[in-house]
Amino acid sequence: MVKAFAPGKCILFGEHAVVYGHPAVAVAIDSGVEVELTESDSWTIEGMPFHSEKHPHISHILNDVFEYGGRPLKIAIESGLFSAAGLGSSAALSNAMGAAVLRMMDANAELDSIKLARIGHAAEAKAQFGRASPTDTATSALGGCVVVSGEQVEGTEHIFDATLHTPEGERKWSVCQVDLPSDLDAWLVLGFTGIGSPTGEMVAGVAKLLEEDPSKHQEMDSIAMITQAGLTALGAGNLEGVGMAMDACHEKLQNIGVSSPELDALVEAVRPHSIGAKLTGAGGGGCMVALTKFPQRVAEAIEVAGGTPLISRLGADGVRILS
Ligand code: MEV
């Protein structure tokens, strides 16, 4: 039996703009997806017969990537993430599955988190109609704080490059990491609206908006500037600066039409107890995130406003084999 875990992610700044080569900053969160594989007499997933066409993500990793030819597997998946909610649950599943299959095939295999991030990115791109940045998969694979951008951002450590052929042409991203100050005295509280939102559709909606109204590219440029300011503040442990950048980022995301009344309501509800708050991920539904020194108070405010809270530290470890 092997067990692997990969964390979810929270984008602090730069979602959507990163698809166009602007920078994004994301952190791995404490919750994630655990995959357990046990050799068995028949293929099952969650106690049901496994049909590869119903689980294209998983069968792609098993068959196309690792060319698994061993005994049938009993696949058990446990997720601590809301799905289709902007927390990178499919990236975490892909990374945890990849790590578990790798270990199943070779007990001495070294975990190659860059390879897993690349595999996950290709799968995400398929699911998002060819438009996906490597942010989710890289953050879940590498852990900590990840900066993804068309060009390497100063002060970050380069980890790998990713490329993708998108409907708008060839895109290239530099995937980097930054060390977070060890004494960051703040928590993230995620608030799920209860409304699932497919990332592919949100990304396609933004592409259509930019095509119909090219002036909206200015909003993307503004998000890029805010992201840069937010990253500088984060690196310096300047929480007020991080919070201001999060608030500003939310406004810009509203301007490109990816917020929703439910997300805005949760963001407003947490403001009195937060340093900053914004939607996180693709938007439309899904989650918002607050940076705060009072996680319980923020979690209560989210519940009172009709959302479901999830508290996390900033920058958990990346994908890992548990047993
Ligand atoms: C989704 O978590 C983040 C987006 O920027 C899409 C992507 O980066 O592929 C909306």
Side-chain angles (χ1 to χ4, degrees):
M1 188 264 278
V2 300
K3 229 191 235 184
F5 173 87
K9 66 93 197 20
C10 170
I11 299 185
L12 294 178
F13 320 104
E15 48 272 270
H16 286 290
V18 67
V19 176
Y20 298 87
H22 294 301
V25 179
V27 290
I29 59 172
D30 296 332
S31 303
V33 175
E34 190 177 292
V35 171
E36 187 182 295
L37 302 179
T38 316
E39 287 189 329
S40 172
D41 294 333
S42 60
W43 282 92
T44 57
I45 182 160
E46 298 296 85
M48 305 290 282
F50 177 74
H51 296 295
S52 49
E53 66 283 1
K54 280 199 198 152
H55 302 279
H57 229 69
I58 291 177
S59 64
H60 170 71
I61 292 171
L62 277 165
N63 304 323
D64 308 336
V65 179
F66 290 101
E67 298 180 346
Y68 179 79
R71 286 188 57 198
L73 296 172
K74 179 176 148 207
I75 305 168
I77 299 167
E78 215 167 283
S79 178
L81 300 170
F82 313 115
S83 64
L87 301 185
S89 60
S90 63
L93 172 62
S94 163
N95 283 331
M97 185 70 196
V101 176
L102 186 73
R103 179 51 66 93
M104 197 71 180
M105 292 173 68
D106 178 358
N108 300 315
E110 283 286 315
L111 199 58
D112 182 346
S113 43
I114 296 176
K115 181 177 172 184
L116 291 175
R118 286 188 197 285
I119 294 165
H121 183 211
E124 297 273 278
K126 246 190 197 170
Q128 289 178 207
F129 319 115
R131 292 184 195 94
S133 79
T135 314
D136 292 21
T137 45
T139 309
S140 170
L142 302 172
C145 180
V146 169
V147 181
V148 175
S149 185
E151 278 170 22
Q152 183 177 351
V153 176
E154 220 184 289
T156 62
E157 183 197 348
H158 178 260
I159 308 293
F160 70 97
D161 287 325
T163 51
L164 185 70
H165 192 74
T166 76
E168 284 76 36
E170 192 82 351
R171 291 247 179 257
K172 185 168 173 279
W173 293 270
S174 173
V175 178
C176 302
Q177 274 186 308
V178 283
D179 288 334
L180 292 174
S182 55
D183 56 351
L184 266 188
D185 177 26
W187 298 78
L188 294 178
V189 187
L190 295 136
F192 181 38
T193 55
I195 302 164
S197 174
T199 302
E201 282 173 25
M202 295 308 296
V203 172
V206 172
K208 190 160 169 269
L209 177 78
L210 293 172
E211 199 190 323
E212 286 169 2
D213 181 1
S215 74
K216 291 284 181 193
H217 274 288
Q218 280 171 14
E219 303 290 343
M220 295 298 195
D221 295 342
S222 303
I223 292 177
M225 278 165 56
I226 293 165
T227 300
Q228 187 63 63
L231 178 60
T232 306
L234 187 63
N238 168 6
L239 293 176
E240 298 303 323
V242 176
M244 268 164 56
M246 288 171 75
D247 293 346
C249 195
H250 185 68
E251 215 179 292
K252 298 297 166 193
L253 291 166
Q254 285 175 318
N255 295 348
I256 56 165
V258 297
S259 193
S260 70
E262 293 82 4
L263 283 166
D264 290 344
L266 293 185
V267 166
E268 283 313 313
V270 301
R271 288 224 192 274
H273 315 291
S274 303
I275 307 167
K278 63 183 273 292
L279 72 86
T280 183
C287 286
M288 47 69 67
V289 60
L291 179 74
T292 181
K293 287 182 187 271
F294 309 105
Q296 291 305 336
R297 270 189 232 169
V298 170
E300 278 160 26
I302 288 171
E303 269 178 348
V304 169
T308 311
L310 183 68
I311 299 175
S312 176
R313 291 170 303 144
L314 284 85
D317 289 340
V319 64
R320 64 207 94 126
I321 288 169
L322 300 178
S323 59

